[in-house]
Amino acid sequence: MKFRQARKQDLPVLINMLADDPLGAQREDSTLPLSQDYFTAFAHIEQDPNNELVVVEQAGELIGMLQLTFIPYLTYRGSWRCLIEGVRVKRDHRGQGVGQQLFRWAIERARARGCQLVQLTSDKQRPEAIRFYENLGFIASHEGFKLKF
């Protein structure tokens, strides 16, 4: 498996991965041509040194993805933390350890960037994802809140 920064030409596959579950299907649109909004968001991510859109490639096929956002904080003595979002593994590659390897890579990336902690959220409607994160050592120590517009 190879971990690398996503490229603009990867977007159709990435959006398909994001849309390939009941929750993603409600909020993503993978019809071609893709909405310009996806390309605009990608350009912002690509230009921001504190954001990394990472893909997992195996035998030339994209099989997983996640986004890392590095955030400076005053807490923890002015440290950095890493937020992990948009985690997906292609349906036909789930249960094969891809997610574990992707997270091991992401956690090491956060350490290399000097982060003091890694955080993520998971929708309560995804109990299998929550179990996966707990098995990796993540602790549900906080209650999360979101306000959608």
Side-chain angles (χ1 to χ4, degrees):
M1 275 186 264
K2 176 182 173 185
F3 302 94
R4 65 167 173 81
Q5 298 293 312
R7 300 179 194 122
K8 186 176 171 181
Q9 60 265 31
D10 298 332
L11 281 176
V13 175
L14 301 182
I15 303 309
N16 273 328
M17 276 194 267
L18 290 172
D20 187 26
D21 71 32
L23 296 176
Q26 295 173 29
R27 59 182 178 233
E28 306 303 340
D29 180 7
S30 60
T31 57
L32 298 175
L34 289 177
S35 167
Q36 184 58 42
D37 293 339
Y38 289 119
F39 293 97
T40 301
F42 180 81
H44 288 293
I45 293 166
E46 189 175 47
Q47 293 168 10
D48 184 343
N50 290 318
N51 270 285
E52 297 179 3
L53 186 58
V54 178
V55 298
V56 182
E57 192 174 9
Q58 185 177 54
E61 177 186 10
L62 297 183
I63 61 170
M65 65 178 288
L66 57 69
Q67 182 173 340
L68 304 176
T69 302
F70 301 99
I71 310 164
Y73 275 81
L74 287 177
T75 60
Y76 288 89
R77 298 179 178 222
S79 69
W80 285 75
R81 63 183 65 190
C82 177
L83 174 66
I84 299 177
E85 288 284 335
V87 179
R88 295 292 190 282
V89 172
K90 255 187 165 177
R91 184 178 300 273
D92 59 346
H93 286 82
R94 293 178 192 157
Q96 300 174 23
V98 175
Q100 287 180 344
Q101 289 187 49
L102 179 57
F103 263 81
R104 277 197 286 270
W105 183 92
I107 290 166
E108 285 308 310
R109 179 74 181 122
R111 279 193 181 112
R113 286 279 308 245
C115 294
Q116 295 298 308
L117 64 89
V118 175
Q119 64 187 34
L120 56 83
T121 62
S122 186
D123 195 293
K124 291 179 180 183
Q125 297 176 68
R126 291 188 166 123
E128 58 285 334
I130 293 168
R131 278 191 301 279
F132 172 78
Y133 299 136
E134 289 172 340
N135 287 336
L136 289 172
F138 286 85
I139 299 167
S141 61
H142 292 68
E143 188 73 27
F145 299 91
K146 295 189 179 195
L147 178 63
K148 292 184 181 179
F149 296 111

